[in-house]
Amino acid sequence: MEAVPAAVMKRAHDEKLRLCDALERIADALPGVDRLTCLRTANAIVPLLRGIHQYEETIIFPAYEEAVVGSNANLASTRRLRAEHVEDECFAGEVTEILLAIGHGKTVENPEAIGFMLRGLFENLRRHIAFEREHVLPMIGIVDAA
């Protein structure tokens, strides 16, 4: 198995965590959020997630599956992580639409619902990262991606 660069995963996780922090700041600021921040964040979400997910699915997950063959580890983990990628990208599309609308001046009529939605996305992303750091990356020789 080829070595998987720890720096790539560290950078990917750092970028996703910065996105989570931005979403959390927006959620905390509702209804009085900065429109430019909403536009900037909206334009970054889907491309960022797609790029990282593609890397994980073509490099990280196959390396993990190869590492756990013959062990007691369950390959259902990568199936679940792939499913989470699909869910996260769909959710990110919905969040993007809302943030674009706010960024273009739409009134925030229900800040609690929008905040709940934003929190749902960034909490899912943070959980996904934690699982990868604790279970997937150590199995492929990346022990300190944090």
Side-chain angles (χ1 to χ4, degrees):
M1 173 175 68
E2 290 183 29
V4 178
V8 174
M9 283 309 296
K10 178 171 179 12
R11 187 175 68 240
H13 283 166
D14 287 349
E15 288 177 15
K16 282 172 78 173
L17 290 171
R18 276 193 296 278
L19 171 64
C20 291
D21 292 344
L23 292 169
E24 187 170 19
R25 282 191 299 276
I26 292 169
D28 289 345
L30 288 167
V33 359
D34 178 67
R35 290 172 39 189
L36 185 56
T37 299
C38 288
L39 291 173
R40 213 173 315 140
T41 304
N43 288 316
I45 297 172
V46 173
L48 175 70
L49 293 181
R50 280 191 185 142
I52 292 170
H53 292 167
Q54 180 181 11
Y55 180 79
E56 289 177 351
E57 291 177 13
T58 58
I59 304 297
I60 300 300
F61 296 167
Y64 173 77
E65 290 167 345
E66 182 180 323
V68 299
V69 169
S71 75
N72 291 332
N74 187 346
L75 293 180
S77 292
T78 53
R79 284 192 299 275
R80 181 179 56 78
L81 292 171
R82 282 183 174 94
E84 286 179 9
H85 285 173
V86 172
E87 292 169 5
D88 290 344
E89 286 181 31
C90 289
F91 203 176
E94 294 174 21
V95 167
T96 296
E97 288 179 27
I98 289 170
L99 292 179
L100 286 172
I102 294 169
H104 288 291
K106 183 174 191 258
T107 302
V108 178
E109 294 178 16
N110 191 341
E112 293 81 17
I114 294 171
F116 186 78
M117 185 179 201
L118 297 176
R119 290 179 200 291
L121 178 58
F122 71 71
E123 288 173 1
N124 286 347
L125 295 174
R126 287 176 176 158
R127 252 190 309 275
H128 186 95
I129 291 167
F131 183 83
E132 287 177 345
R133 285 180 171 172
E134 293 169 9
H135 300 285
V136 175
L137 298 181
M139 289 295 292
I140 60 174
I142 300 176
V143 290
D144 189 25

